[in-house]
Amino acid sequence: MEHPRYALHGDTVVDRATTLPVGVLFEKNKLYKNLLAARGIDYTQLVSKRLLPDGAVLVGGTLYIIEKKFQAGSGSVDEKLQTCHFKKRQYEKLVAPLGLRVEFYYLLNDWFRDPSYRDVLEYIEEVGCRYFFKEIPLEELGL
């Protein structure tokens, strides 16, 4: 993470000016091990199947789930984009005992700018999820 204001020390996002931690990154299984299990939460009591985010960032009281979808041709990702509402709901169940809010974001490449994705991109926003192309502005992650 290269940014003039923030630095990454291990999985911790640190404000360079104050040297204070402002967020924590979790990838794949680290969400379960370092966030949930570390706080005594057994995910099997909350959801029936483990979801593995490409990335997640905890900033304040919000957990930002980030799914990266890049492709150069039609395929299974087309249908996976339509699952964001269900996945967001599952993550909300997971972190409910911690009192955290969940935001669900897709990080997409330019392939998804094609007009054939207009309906699914509208759907993503209609169900309370978001999408970004190439990068997510840090302000969108509460930073």
Side-chain angles (χ1 to χ4, degrees), residues 25-72:
L25 298 177
F26 304 97
E27 292 181 339
K28 305 284 183 189
N29 286 306
K30 286 185 177 183
L31 180 67
Y32 294 87
K33 179 182 175 190
N34 297 349
L35 181 64
L36 299 173
R39 289 163 177 80
I41 296 171
D42 177 3
Y43 81 92
T44 64
Q45 302 300 308
L46 302 168
V47 297
S48 58
K49 190 171 184 178
R50 183 185 290 223
L51 295 171
L52 298 176
D54 291 329
V57 182
L58 178 60
V59 178
T62 304
L63 181 67
Y64 298 89
I65 302 295
I66 301 167
E67 291 292 336
K68 303 170 189 170
K69 302 297 179 204
F70 303 111
Q71 71 183 57

